[in-house]
Amino acid sequence: MATPTASKHASSQQGRTPSQLAAATPPVSTPFSNPAHMVFSPRGPRSSPQQFKKSPATSTMVAQQNNVPLNFDSPSTAAAMGLAMGGGLDMGLENVGVAGLGALGALASEDEKLKRLESIMDMLNKKKGFVSEAGLERLAQRVGLDCLSEEHITPDGRKARTLVIAGSAIQLDIVLDNNIVTGITLAFPESAPSVTKHVERASKILLKDLQLLPNQSPITKTLDKFAVNLERLAILDKLSIIPGLDCHEALAGIYVSLERLHQWDISKLREEPGMSDETDRALSVIAMCSRHGHPVMHSRDRVGLAIQYWKACRLIPPSNDKATIFSQTRERTWSFMIGCVATDGTIPLPVRVSENWISKDIIKAGPSMNPKKPALDWQEPDNVVLPASEENKGAGMEMLQPDLSTARVPQVMFTVTFDPPIILPQNDWIRMYEIANMTPPPVFGYPPTFDSLFFPVMPDSPHDPSELRTITRRRQVLVYDKDGNASHKSHQASLYIYKQIYSHVVTEMPFFHPRQLIEILPLLRQYAAVTILLENSFGSKSKEAQPTKMREQNPAASDKTRTMTTKDELVDFLTAMPEDAAPSEADVKLDVTLWVHPTPHLQVVFPFRDSTADITLRVLEDGVIEVANENILPREGDDGTRKLKGKELTRADLGRVLEYMEDICKWTEWIRTRLA
């Protein structure tokens, strides 16, 4: 932009105000080069009458100013006039042109400005700030808690400050020394013992969120992790109605009931053959992944109640204490966090507070209708009745009781947040809500497909939705032979999507009884197992691998997943040279076909001895892998037999080995080295 001449206002090149622009004498290239052009100022009719002569010509131009396009030399000029830059900011301007930016819109209305302001505030709220006394105060006020700062003298004579963050049911004391957090104490002054017994563990998690890492500078320590845990505590605190309803106590009651069920599972597992010598930790993992889950309070850097139901490497027990700590803290675990949210009265039952959601005997007296599934003796606790007062008048709703009387109950319901979110095909998504006896949320438009949620289609990908999708990946697989010698094999694995199935990512779901969560666990484990197989075999451990012809023509291929359609393969076939048709001898070609309706299936084809192995797998509920069809095991009457540790190998053994390895590529190499 041309530099304006000097004036009594020393305006800078950037960020000039409209008053500065009017005071300066602009060059010829600006929109305000002569008085007649002043009528096109974004200020419009509010420009001074002395800037131009009143005449029919100028009057006509004033009347037509809204239809005349404006042009500015640079984005900074438009920004100085209060205009947005279009594109990503979406200011909705019309008929305004800025050199290099294209068309912008007309001046925004007050409603549009308010929407822009709200979007900016939402964007700023994503940044939680840095660890300091002022940063902690701002964060506490943002989540709706009260703050009080006090100064005191430490035993060694140093001045320190204590920041007290409090709500209706919680109190958090944070000790700071020169804006560095040295201690935290969490307390629930009026809560039940079922809540206060877990306070120490929660305090350690909050302190870890605020403490500096080794060699970390205080100016780089953010509040992001601490904010997540504080917001969870603040939500429960704001929904609590003291006296009457303590949401922290409601979650603690669910934990007590499900922990009683978990201990019963462990005792029953210990009675099974071969389980008596297992450690409690090993039995707890088995119960978590095959029985009724494992409830944990304040675990894995998360404050609150979670139910764990699946984990990676679940069948491989840790060999030492270090491996045990790593398994408990670092290995991927599937769980859901239980919380509370406000409701509009559409859920059948609101939050209830009880430690007896299941009876002390756990199971009902008498034989169960399903021998493989015990008849759990679930209970129905009474509703929370709020005391009559003016404060509770707007915080509750009237509900009909079993004796036909009415009582005021809280407008709060239980909710569960899946961590990580689980991907379900639409039919199983609907089935999950049916099992939980809940109404699924409405679906607008066409949901994404199952494969696109696992492997998103890149914007520059030539993917044709009408064509079957193929994902080709390359990786190095660590292989151990029968003697324990390690080597690497290069695999080129292709995943063929047999049929595109509409699917959903499940992140949250309301519920009113923990029985609902226990009943959907087998379905969740089924697709958690599918997730592990796809991620380990075709995910971050592997790189994009083009078909051989294109890979040799373009060695510097992108690392992104390539999608090949039938048309692309036809073009490659017609344009490839004859010598390009032979695949690399070093690669083990692995073809996997996936379909998820009505049950997840994987058909695996790979070279085996002098022929080709063809195995069809079925992933069942509770993550059980079943070999539905294969051509590698000897049939009845065949001469050769394959044995595993002195036992004849069966289809169940093949499925169990894959459950151990959780990797299709490693599993195929195990078959090639053990059964060849």
Side-chain angles (χ1 to χ4, degrees), residues 47-48 54-55 160 181 185 193 224 229 231 269 323 342 347 379 388 408 424 441 472 517 526 534 597 609 645-646 665:
S47 301
S48 173
K54 291 183 179 180
S55 68
V181 176
T185 302
D224 294 345
N229 289 320
E231 287 173 2
L269 284 171
I347 195 167
Q379 304 295 303
R408 179 163 292 275
L424 296 178
T472 306
L517 305 181
Q526 180 180 18
L534 294 179
H597 180 76
R609 292 189 283 215
K645 291 185 178 181
C665 297

Side-chain angles (χ1 to χ4, degrees), residues 57-231:
T58 57
S59 300
T60 303
M61 285 188 287
V62 171
Q64 296 177 350
Q65 61 178 307
N66 289 335
N67 297 324
V68 179
L70 302 183
N71 289 280
F72 297 92
D73 289 332
S74 68
S76 60
T77 307
M81 309 312 299
L83 301 179
M85 295 298 99
L89 295 182
D90 191 18
M91 298 306 184
L93 305 179
E94 300 175 356
N95 299 328
V96 180
V98 178
L101 291 183
L104 295 177
L107 289 175
S109 65
E110 293 298 326
D111 292 340
E112 291 171 338
K113 290 180 180 178
L114 183 60
K115 289 181 181 178
R116 293 205 304 269
L117 181 60
E118 290 176 351
S119 64
I120 293 173
M121 293 300 295
D122 292 339
M123 188 182 304
L124 294 176
N125 284 335
K126 294 180 181 179
K127 298 293 183 181
K128 307 303 181 182
F130 295 89
V131 175
S132 66
E133 183 179 351
L136 289 167
E137 286 182 357
R138 285 192 294 267
L139 178 62
Q141 293 169 0
R142 186 183 300 176
V143 298
L145 298 175
D146 298 326
C147 287
L148 176 64
S149 181
E150 301 175 345
E151 186 174 301
H152 65 277
I153 305 298
T154 61
D156 58 356
R158 294 173 56 87
K159 287 186 178 181
R161 299 189 67 84
T162 299
L163 183 65
V164 181
I165 300 176
S168 60
I170 66 170
Q171 179 177 326
L172 186 63
D173 297 342
I174 305 176
V175 181
L176 300 101
D177 184 359
N178 194 21
N179 286 317
I180 297 177
V181 176
T182 59
I184 282 184
T185 302
L186 176 65
F188 297 89
E190 300 181 9
S191 296
S194 60
V195 178
T196 57
K197 64 185 290 188
H198 305 288
V199 162
E200 184 178 355
R201 192 180 304 139
S203 298
K204 289 181 179 179
I205 293 175
L206 296 173
L207 180 59
K208 182 181 176 182
D209 292 339
L210 295 178
Q211 278 187 326
L212 296 176
L213 299 175
N215 302 321
Q216 183 180 14
S217 172
I219 63 175
T220 62
K221 184 65 177 181
T222 65
L223 290 167
D224 294 345
K225 292 184 178 179
F226 178 76
V228 173
N229 289 320
L230 184 63
E231 287 173 2

Side-chain angles (χ1 to χ4, degrees), residues 145 166-170 232-241 248:
L145 298 175
S168 60
I170 66 170
R232 186 174 294 114
L233 291 173
I235 290 174
L236 296 177
D237 186 80
K238 286 188 289 187
L239 293 174
S240 299
I241 305 170
H248 300 281

Side-chain angles (χ1 to χ4, degrees), residues 468-670:
L468 297 181
R469 189 181 178 194
T470 302
I471 299 169
T472 306
R473 307 290 286 177
R474 176 188 290 272
R475 61 177 292 201
Q476 294 292 321
V477 181
L478 182 62
V479 181
Y480 291 91
D481 59 16
K482 294 180 180 180
D483 299 326
N485 300 319
S487 62
H488 284 86
K489 289 288 185 70
S490 178
H491 274 224
Q492 179 176 315
S494 298
L495 179 65
Y496 300 94
I497 310 302
Y498 176 74
K499 186 177 181 181
Q500 294 181 344
I501 300 297
Y502 291 133
S503 303
H504 299 268
V505 180
V506 185
T507 56
E508 291 183 339
M509 186 184 75
F511 73 98
F512 55 86
H513 198 293
R515 175 186 65 247
Q516 300 167 277
L517 305 181
I518 300 301
E519 290 175 348
I520 65 174
L521 290 182
L523 178 63
L524 298 180
R525 293 178 182 131
Q526 180 180 18
Y527 283 93
V530 173
T531 300
I532 289 181
L533 289 177
L534 294 179
E535 170 61 26
N536 290 346
S537 306
F538 300 94
S540 57
K541 296 181 181 179
S542 59
K543 295 182 179 180
E544 183 271 340
Q546 295 176 334
T548 306
K549 301 180 283 298
M550 294 198 64
R551 183 174 66 253
E552 295 177 1
Q553 294 173 5
N554 182 21
S558 169
D559 283 344
K560 298 177 181 177
T561 300
R562 175 174 172 79
T563 302
M564 291 292 294
T565 64
T566 305
K567 296 177 183 178
D568 296 329
E569 293 176 352
L570 178 60
V571 171
D572 295 341
F573 175 77
L574 295 177
T575 57
M577 300 297 291
E579 58 269 22
D580 294 336
S584 173
E585 294 182 0
D587 287 348
V588 176
K589 300 278 289 183
L590 178 68
D591 295 334
V592 180
T593 304
L594 169 69
W595 67 97
V596 294
H597 180 76
T599 303
H601 283 72
L602 293 162
Q603 183 182 11
V604 185
V605 179
F606 57 94
F608 178 69
R609 292 189 283 215
D610 297 330
S611 183
T612 300
D614 188 347
I615 306 175
T616 301
L617 306 170
R618 195 159 44 210
V619 183
L620 306 177
E621 289 188 348
D622 280 328
V624 176
I625 298 178
E626 178 185 83
V627 176
N629 192 19
E630 47 77 29
N631 63 347
I632 60 174
L633 296 179
R635 301 295 185 268
E636 187 176 351
D638 292 350
D639 296 334
T641 59
R642 304 293 167 185
K643 294 187 177 182
L644 181 64
K645 291 185 178 181
K647 184 184 81 168
E648 184 177 346
L649 199 63
T650 63
R651 290 184 176 182
D653 296 326
L654 292 177
R656 191 66 171 172
V657 171
L658 183 54
E659 290 179 17
Y660 269 91
M661 294 186 167
E662 299 178 341
D663 189 318
I664 296 176
C665 297
K666 292 181 179 180
W667 179 66
T668 57
E669 285 298 334
W670 184 89

